[in-house]
């Protein structure tokens, strides 16, 4: 009888141990799942570009501002003018228009308070795009919100940049408002044009480096470079060899690309891939400039290039 009692106690002890072990394993599995989810979410955040993040941020803040207008009406306007607040910092600001049909009066404009009270129904961007009309149409649309792109100078600058604006409708006390904000696309993307590119003499032709990962502020993880080459009438560059493949794309003009002395005709829209370790040079056979994009992968390095003769 006593042995039976001891056996029962032992069995209960074993069951308790197994139960605790199961709970521990389950807890570890839960921790692993949570860790995997956290890693997955972190990866998703990492994969989201600065452009996408800013787009989401602007839309979120405009929606929050519209909710504030619907809650307080004109009582919300002073909050949008407080510098250093969530509504006004750096080059970010919230603007508000009061709508009356297709007519709009700007009632909040933090960059220039003197501009408040103006009729902005007919404003256009530098290219003549009727952004006043487009803003109003977006606010009065069925969804009541949307994006509009336009060219607008940054604060303190004369040259326009591409701005992407989010618009949302808000109502309060029988009044209809348009609430909006935006961001400059080029602040969140790498862009460059040949007008702002420093030209150098490379292998005998004028060339500017449009993109090189080692000379970009934030390396986006690319391993190629792009150069813009201008070969003047009658010019040719020095024969040279690269230890990596190189691609030539003709933007304008006509000429000849020599690969190991084999002539390849270049004309607008034509792409030629030069294999690694082949001697190459370009000759312009026309009376106008030959414009090329030259793409190296991996990115161009001086040690990978050898000038021949």
């Amino acid at each position: 009888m006593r042995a039976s009692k001891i056996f029962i106690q032992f069995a209960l002890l074993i069951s308790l141990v197994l139960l605790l072990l199961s709970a521990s394993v389950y807890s570890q599995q839960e921790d692993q799942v949570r860790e995997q989810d956290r890693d997955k979410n972190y990866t998703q955040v990492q994969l989201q570009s600065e452009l996408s993040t800013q787009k989401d941020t602007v839309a979120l803040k405009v929606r929050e501002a519209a909710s504030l207008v619907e809650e307080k009406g004109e009582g919300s306007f002073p909050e949008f003018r407080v510098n250093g607040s969530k509504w006004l910092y750096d080059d970010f600001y919230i603007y508000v228009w009061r709508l009356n049909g297709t007519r709009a009066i700007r009632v909040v404009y933090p960059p220039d308070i003197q501009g408040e009270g103006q009729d902005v129904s007919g404003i256009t961007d530098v290219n003549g795009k009727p952004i006043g009309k487009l803003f109003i149409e977006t606010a009065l649309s069925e969804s009541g919100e949307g994006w509009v792109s336009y060219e607008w100078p940054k604060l303190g600058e004369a040259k326009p940049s591409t701005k992407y604006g989010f618009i949302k409708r808000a109502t309060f006390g029988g009044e209809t408002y348009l609430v909006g904000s935006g961001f400059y696309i080029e602040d969140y993307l790498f862009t460059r044009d040949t007008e702002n590119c420093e030209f150098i003499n490379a292998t005998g032709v004028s060339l500017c480096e449009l993109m090189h990962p080692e000379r970009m502020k934030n390396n986006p993880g690319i391993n190629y470079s792009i150069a813009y080459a201008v070969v003047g009438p009658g010019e040719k560059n020095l024969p040279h060899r690269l230890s990596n493949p190189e691609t030539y794309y003709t933007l304008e003009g006509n000429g000849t690309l020599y690969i190991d002395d084999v002539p390849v005709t270049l004309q607008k829209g034509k792409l030629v891939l030069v294999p690694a370790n082949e001697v190459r040079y370009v000759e312009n056979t026309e009376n106008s400039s030959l414009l090329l994009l030259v793409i190296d992968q991996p990115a161009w390095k001086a040690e990978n290039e050898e000038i021949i003769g």
Side-chain angles (χ1 to χ4, degrees):
M1 183 73 177
R2 184 178 178 184
S4 176
K5 187 175 181 180
I6 292 174
F7 176 78
I8 292 172
Q9 290 175 341
F10 180 74
L12 288 173
L13 179 61
I14 293 297
S15 298
L16 180 60
V17 170
L18 290 174
L19 182 62
L20 290 173
L21 286 173
S22 298
S24 176
V25 170
Y26 179 74
S27 177
Q28 290 176 359
Q29 289 175 339
E30 275 194 321
D31 290 342
Q32 289 175 350
V33 169
R34 280 195 294 268
E35 188 173 342
Q36 289 171 354
D37 288 342
R38 185 169 60 250
D39 291 343
K40 182 179 179 181
N41 291 335
Y42 177 75
T43 301
Q44 289 173 342
V45 170
Q46 290 291 95
L47 289 175
Q48 187 176 33
S49 69
E50 290 185 7
L51 179 70
S52 297
T53 300
Q54 184 63 12
K55 181 184 175 186
D56 291 345
T57 299
V58 168
L60 176 64
K61 289 194 174 183
V62 169
R63 290 182 178 123
E64 288 179 351
S67 295
L68 191 61
V69 171
E70 293 195 327
E71 178 187 344
K72 297 183 177 181
E74 292 189 9
S76 64
F77 294 175
E79 297 184 40
F80 300 137
R81 302 187 185 101
V82 178
N83 196 13
S85 69
K86 64 183 291 186
W87 310 116
L88 179 59
Y89 60 91
D90 298 332
D91 63 351
F92 178 85
Y93 58 89
I94 293 288
Y95 54 85
V96 183
W97 297 1
R98 182 186 294 113
L99 303 183
N100 183 7
T102 58
R103 186 167 178 262
I105 301 297
R106 185 161 54 192
V107 291
V108 175
Y109 190 55
D112 181 12
I113 303 298
Q114 301 302 317
E116 296 182 358
Q118 294 180 358
D119 188 330
V120 286
S121 312
I123 64 170
T124 61
D125 72 358
V126 295
N127 295 323
K129 189 173 185 177
I131 58 176
K133 179 174 180 286
L134 293 173
F135 282 12
I136 295 168
E137 288 177 352
T138 301
L140 297 180
S141 66
E142 184 176 352
S143 65
E145 64 178 42
W147 292 92
V148 178
S149 65
Y150 54 101
E151 299 297 311
W152 201 258
K154 294 182 179 181
L155 296 177
E157 295 185 10
K159 183 180 178 181
S161 300
T162 303
K163 194 167 189 179
Y164 201 38
F166 187 71
I167 310 299
K168 184 166 179 62
R169 180 177 66 237
T171 57
F172 180 86
E175 296 282 4
T176 300
Y177 298 96
L178 177 160
V179 182
S181 187
F183 65 96
Y184 290 97
I185 293 175
E186 293 179 2
D187 288 345
Y188 301 93
L189 285 178
F190 176 83
T191 64
R192 199 169 189 187
D193 57 60
T194 54
E195 292 181 1
N196 300 318
C197 190
E198 182 181 354
F199 282 83
I200 61 172
N201 186 288
T203 66
V205 299
S206 183
L207 181 144
C208 80
E209 199 170 61
L210 286 174
M211 186 170 70
H212 195 294
E214 293 182 1
R215 285 175 274 284
M216 296 169 70
K217 185 181 295 184
N218 296 311
N219 190 331
I222 63 173
N223 67 338
Y224 60 88
S225 60
I226 302 177
Y228 174 71
V230 180
V231 187
E235 290 183 350
K236 63 179 178 180
N237 65 339
L238 298 173
H240 58 287
R241 178 188 288 116
L242 281 168
S243 60
N244 56 268
E246 188 173 54
T247 301
Y248 288 75
Y249 180 77
T250 307
L251 297 169
E252 291 287 346
N254 296 280
T256 304
L257 169 63
Y258 292 89
I259 305 173
D260 194 21
D261 289 329
V262 177
V264 180
T265 300
L266 296 177
Q267 58 193 32
K268 183 177 180 178
K270 187 170 185 176
L271 182 146
V272 181
L273 175 62
V274 181
N277 300 311
E278 296 284 3
V279 176
R280 79 291 308 271
Y281 67 94
V282 174
E283 182 177 14
N284 184 352
T285 56
E286 301 292 325
N287 295 322
S288 57
S289 293
L290 174 62
L291 309 181
L292 302 166
L293 284 182
V294 184
I295 305 165
D296 284 80
Q297 187 174 13
W300 182 89
K301 288 185 177 181
E303 56 263 35
N304 293 340
E305 183 175 70
E306 177 189 3
I307 305 298
I308 308 298

